[in-house]
Amino acid sequence: MSSSNLTSLSSIEAHTLSEARATLLAWYDDHKRDLPWRDIQNPWATWVSEIMLQQTRVSSVLDYFDRFMTRFPTPHALAEAEWDEVAGYWAGLGYYRRAKNLWRGAREVVERHAGEIPDDPEAVRALTGVGAYTAGAILSIAFGQPAPIVDGNVARVFARLYRIEEEIESAPSQRALWSLAEAWAQGERPGDLNQALMELGATICMPKSPTCLICPLHTRCRVALEADPTALPRKRKKRRALPRESYVVFALRSLEDTPRYWVTKRLGEGLLGGLLALPQRAREPNEAREGTPPDASELAEAWMSWLDDTLGSTSPTYATLRECTWTLEVLERAVEHRFTHKRWVWWVTQVSGAALTELLEALSAHDVGRLMSAAELDQAGLGGPSLKSLRALGAPLRARRGSGT
Ligand code: ADE
């Protein structure tokens, strides 16, 4: 699409929009699905439901939501729970990092806001796991503020309604989508309006089989009347498959208030040579398990092999540390890093255990790396995959241009 079309989207006429908004809200009132998190002005319920709904179908969320809210009816209840119990209530929903971030976010609400979810946009955005989408949902649905939401459904509705032909993931398209969402949210009932846009995407303006004839916005849609709606939104072309190398990567995070992370320097030659990196072990190439996380025994073996090589039997604590019980928690999704000729797939594993502090001391004595805070790492030469890995674990590192995909 020409950039002029994107530019013209920013000047949607107010009266056209206000009519379209009224039409959509009327449709929503008649057709919305009856979902347990709807029609309750409870920011905690909104937060929990919207996190559960990310990457997950409504039908899968239904059972989980009620059980979770019964056990953790407030941020305070979740903040007080042990992680293992929280994980149990999430088991089967997938993408556990969502749950962990929600748990951390709930603790922040207790610490910073006396257990009350704030209605100030900046304070909401500052909570762990709350990005632009979730913040928009909490602010609009629970607090009635005119805050925008763009998720996959809204992006599809807008791409068709306004005929956005540029790749939908591109920066100009994203800017256009968010500014459209902003414009749509200015009016009465912004929370319902946002939900109506999502509902339209989920039930009418579907990816492969849109039912345009019964769409309330049909006559306003720049695509439905004259082109094939399923051609939009245009997705980025799949990149050619690069050979991949898989690694198990160990994140050793100190238990201080401001945690530090154990990093080593890569050898001067080779990819990202000289940069700081998380410790790692190459996985044996194995077609059958391509794309699947290492299981407990593979993790334990890799960990012991790394300990042996790094600490070495000359360390006075070697035998003790080797015998300790370690918890190896691997992220469900690998961190990927592309080079021009290959890609690295990193299975990031958080290491914990009662002897963690002792281990970090022993490692320091060996001078094979050092502990660095997020602030120090921001200044240092941390390689792209390590940066992404630590960010995936929630370390507050700045995003960096040029750190790969
Ligand atoms: N998808 C995610 N959140 C939603 C909501 N609140 N309404 C409709 N669809 C959604």
Side-chain angles (χ1 to χ4, degrees), residues 252-282:
L252 300 167
R253 175 162 52 189
S254 74
L255 303 173
E256 296 150 298
D257 285 346
T258 305
R260 292 183 295 160
Y261 302 85
W262 178 259
V263 286
T264 55
K265 201 170 232 180
R266 281 184 179 282
L267 294 179
E269 313 98 56
L271 286 169
L272 309 180
L275 293 179
L276 294 171
L278 296 177
Q280 57 198 262
R281 270 292 186 256

Coordinates of all heavy atoms in Angstrom, one line a residue, residues 252-282:
L252 N 22.0 -18.0 35.5 CA 22.3 -18.0 36.9 C 22.1 -16.7 37.5 O 22.8 -15.7 37.2 CB 23.8 -18.5 37.2 CG 24.2 -19.8 36.6 CD1 25.7 -20.0 36.6 CD2 23.5 -20.9 37.4
R253 N 21.0 -16.5 38.2 CA 20.6 -15.2 38.7 C 20.8 -15.2 40.2 O 20.3 -16.0 40.9 CB 19.1 -15.0 38.3 CG 18.5 -13.7 38.9 CD 17.2 -13.3 38.2 NE 16.3 -14.4 38.1 CZ 15.1 -14.4 37.4 NH1 14.9 -13.3 36.7 NH2 14.3 -15.4 37.4
S254 N 21.5 -14.2 40.7 CA 21.8 -14.1 42.1 C 20.5 -13.7 42.8 O 19.6 -13.2 42.2 CB 22.9 -13.1 42.4 OG 22.3 -11.8 42.2
L255 N 20.6 -14.0 44.1 CA 19.3 -13.8 44.9 C 19.3 -12.4 45.6 O 18.5 -12.2 46.5 CB 19.2 -14.9 46.0 CG 19.3 -16.3 45.4 CD1 19.3 -17.3 46.6 CD2 18.0 -16.6 44.6
E256 N 20.1 -11.5 45.1 CA 20.1 -10.1 45.7 C 18.8 -9.4 45.3 O 18.1 -9.8 44.4 CB 21.3 -9.3 45.2 CG 22.6 -9.9 45.6 CD 23.7 -9.7 44.6 OE1 23.6 -10.1 43.4 OE2 24.7 -9.0 44.9
D257 N 18.5 -8.3 46.0 CA 17.4 -7.5 45.6 C 17.4 -7.0 44.2 O 16.4 -7.0 43.5 CB 17.3 -6.2 46.5 CG 16.8 -6.6 47.9 OD1 16.3 -7.8 48.1 OD2 17.0 -5.8 48.9
T258 N 18.6 -6.5 43.8 CA 18.8 -6.2 42.4 C 19.6 -7.4 41.8 O 20.8 -7.4 42.0 CB 19.5 -4.9 42.2 OG1 18.8 -3.9 42.9 CG2 19.7 -4.5 40.7
P259 N 19.0 -8.3 41.2 CA 19.7 -9.5 40.8 C 20.8 -9.3 39.8 O 20.7 -8.3 39.0 CB 18.6 -10.4 40.2 CG 17.4 -9.7 40.1 CD 17.6 -8.4 40.8
R260 N 21.9 -10.1 39.9 CA 22.9 -10.0 38.9 C 22.9 -11.4 38.2 O 22.5 -12.4 38.7 CB 24.3 -9.7 39.6 CG 24.3 -8.3 40.1 CD 25.6 -8.0 40.8 NE 25.9 -8.8 41.9 CZ 27.1 -9.0 42.4 NH1 28.2 -8.4 41.8 NH2 27.3 -9.7 43.5
Y261 N 23.5 -11.4 37.0 CA 23.5 -12.6 36.1 C 24.9 -13.0 35.8 O 25.7 -12.1 35.6 CB 22.7 -12.2 34.8 CG 21.3 -11.8 35.1 CD1 21.0 -10.4 35.4 CD2 20.2 -12.7 35.1 CE1 19.8 -10.0 35.6 CE2 19.0 -12.2 35.4 CZ 18.7 -10.9 35.7 OH 17.5 -10.4 35.9
W262 N 25.1 -14.3 35.8 CA 26.4 -14.8 35.5 C 26.7 -14.8 34.0 O 25.9 -15.4 33.3 CB 26.5 -16.2 36.1 CG 27.9 -16.8 35.8 CD1 28.2 -17.7 34.8 CD2 29.1 -16.5 36.5 NE1 29.5 -18.0 34.8 CE2 30.1 -17.3 35.9 CE3 29.4 -15.7 37.6 CZ2 31.4 -17.2 36.3 CZ3 30.7 -15.7 38.0 CH2 31.7 -16.4 37.4
V263 N 27.7 -14.1 33.6 CA 28.1 -14.1 32.2 C 29.5 -14.4 32.0 O 30.4 -14.1 32.8 CB 27.7 -12.7 31.5 CG1 26.3 -12.5 31.3 CG2 28.3 -11.5 32.3
T264 N 29.8 -14.9 30.8 CA 31.2 -15.2 30.5 C 31.5 -14.5 29.2 O 30.6 -14.1 28.5 CB 31.5 -16.7 30.3 OG1 30.5 -17.2 29.3 CG2 31.2 -17.5 31.6
K265 N 32.8 -14.4 28.9 CA 33.2 -13.8 27.6 C 33.4 -14.8 26.6 O 34.1 -15.8 26.8 CB 34.5 -13.0 27.9 CG 34.7 -11.9 26.8 CD 35.8 -10.9 27.2 CE 35.2 -9.5 27.2 NZ 36.2 -8.5 27.5
R266 N 32.9 -14.6 25.4 CA 33.1 -15.5 24.3 C 34.5 -15.4 23.8 O 35.1 -14.3 23.8 CB 32.2 -15.2 23.1 CG 30.8 -15.7 23.3 CD 30.0 -15.4 22.0 NE 28.7 -15.9 22.2 CZ 28.4 -17.1 22.1 NH1 29.2 -18.0 21.7 NH2 27.1 -17.5 22.3
L267 N 35.0 -16.5 23.3 CA 36.4 -16.4 22.7 C 36.4 -15.4 21.6 O 35.4 -15.1 20.9 CB 36.8 -17.8 22.2 CG 36.9 -18.8 23.3 CD1 37.3 -20.1 22.7 CD2 38.0 -18.3 24.3
G268 N 37.6 -14.8 21.3 CA 37.7 -13.7 20.3 C 37.3 -14.2 18.9 O 36.8 -13.4 18.2
E269 N 37.5 -15.4 18.6 CA 37.1 -15.8 17.3 C 35.7 -16.3 17.3 O 35.1 -16.4 18.4 CB 37.9 -17.0 16.7 CG 39.4 -16.9 16.9 CD 39.9 -17.7 18.1 OE1 39.7 -18.9 18.2 OE2 40.5 -17.0 19.0
G270 N 35.1 -16.6 16.2 CA 33.8 -17.2 16.1 C 32.7 -16.1 16.2 O 33.0 -15.0 16.4
L271 N 31.5 -16.6 16.1 CA 30.3 -15.7 16.1 C 30.2 -15.0 17.4 O 30.3 -15.6 18.5 CB 29.0 -16.5 15.9 CG 28.9 -17.0 14.4 CD1 27.7 -18.0 14.3 CD2 28.6 -15.8 13.5
L272 N 30.0 -13.7 17.4 CA 29.8 -12.8 18.6 C 31.1 -12.9 19.5 O 31.0 -12.7 20.7 CB 28.6 -13.2 19.3 CG 27.3 -13.3 18.5 CD1 26.1 -13.6 19.4 CD2 27.0 -12.0 17.8
G273 N 32.2 -13.2 18.9 CA 33.4 -13.4 19.7 C 33.7 -12.1 20.5 O 33.5 -11.0 20.0
G274 N 34.2 -12.3 21.7 CA 34.5 -11.1 22.5 C 33.4 -10.6 23.3 O 33.6 -9.8 24.2
L275 N 32.1 -10.9 22.9 CA 31.0 -10.4 23.6 C 30.7 -11.3 24.9 O 31.0 -12.4 24.9 CB 29.8 -10.4 22.7 CG 29.8 -9.4 21.5 CD1 28.6 -9.5 20.7 CD2 30.0 -8.0 22.0
L276 N 29.9 -10.7 25.8 CA 29.5 -11.4 27.0 C 28.4 -12.3 26.6 O 27.5 -12.0 25.8 CB 29.1 -10.5 28.1 CG 30.2 -9.6 28.6 CD1 29.6 -8.5 29.5 CD2 31.2 -10.4 29.4
A277 N 28.3 -13.5 27.2 CA 27.2 -14.5 26.9 C 26.9 -15.3 28.1 O 27.6 -15.4 29.1 CB 27.7 -15.4 25.8
L278 N 25.7 -15.8 28.1 CA 25.3 -16.8 29.1 C 26.0 -18.1 28.9 O 26.2 -18.5 27.7 CB 23.8 -17.0 29.1 CG 22.9 -15.8 29.3 CD1 21.4 -16.1 29.2 CD2 23.2 -15.3 30.7
P279 N 26.3 -18.9 29.9 CA 26.9 -20.2 29.7 C 26.0 -21.1 29.0 O 24.7 -21.0 29.1 CB 27.1 -20.7 31.2 CG 26.3 -19.8 32.1 CD 26.1 -18.5 31.3
Q280 N 26.5 -22.0 28.2 CA 25.7 -22.9 27.4 C 26.4 -24.2 27.0 O 27.6 -24.3 27.2 CB 25.4 -22.1 26.1 CG 26.6 -21.7 25.4 CD 26.3 -20.6 24.4 OE1 26.2 -20.9 23.2 NE2 26.3 -19.3 24.8
R281 N 25.6 -25.0 26.5 CA 26.0 -26.4 26.0 C 25.3 -26.6 24.7 O 24.1 -26.4 24.6 CB 25.5 -27.4 27.0 CG 26.4 -27.8 28.1 CD 27.6 -28.4 27.6 NE 28.6 -29.0 28.4 CZ 29.8 -28.4 28.5 NH1 30.1 -27.2 28.1 NH2 30.8 -29.1 29.1
A282 N 26.0 -27.1 23.7 CA 25.4 -27.4 22.4 C 24.5 -28.7 22.6 O 24.9 -29.6 23.3 CB 26.4 -27.6 21.3

